[in-house]
Amino acid sequence: MTLTEAYIIRLTELLNERNITFYKFAKESCIPHTTIENLKKKVTKSPSLKLIYQTANGLGMSVVEFLDDPIFCSDDIEFL
């Protein structure tokens, strides 16, 4: 699994818990919707630290809380 896939899975889980769409999240967190779409479509190879920070902030959590998930603890994550 790539870091991008792990990021999208984690974001999807958190948005589903909050009943928020990707579009609404992007708009409210000031992240361009195309940025998230490019990650979902694998056009962008990896989320930047800035994007992870913006994502966590947009969800009202710290970067540590966002990354504190077993999906990011896998030895199988590929960093491209």
Side-chain angles (χ1 to χ4, degrees), residues 21-73:
T21 65
F22 278 100
Y23 180 80
K24 182 178 179 182
F25 170 73
K27 188 174 179 180
E28 291 179 356
S29 61
C30 299
I31 297 171
H33 185 252
T34 54
T35 299
I36 295 173
E37 285 300 311
N38 286 340
L39 285 164
K40 288 170 63 176
K41 294 176 185 176
K42 299 179 184 175
V43 173
T44 303
K45 300 295 182 200
S46 185
S48 66
L49 180 56
K50 178 182 177 184
L51 178 63
I52 293 171
Y53 176 83
Q54 288 175 304
T55 301
N57 192 46
L59 292 166
M61 58 189 351
S62 70
V63 172
V64 172
E65 289 172 310
F66 181 80
L67 296 174
D68 186 23
D69 188 88
I71 199 161
F72 294 110
C73 296

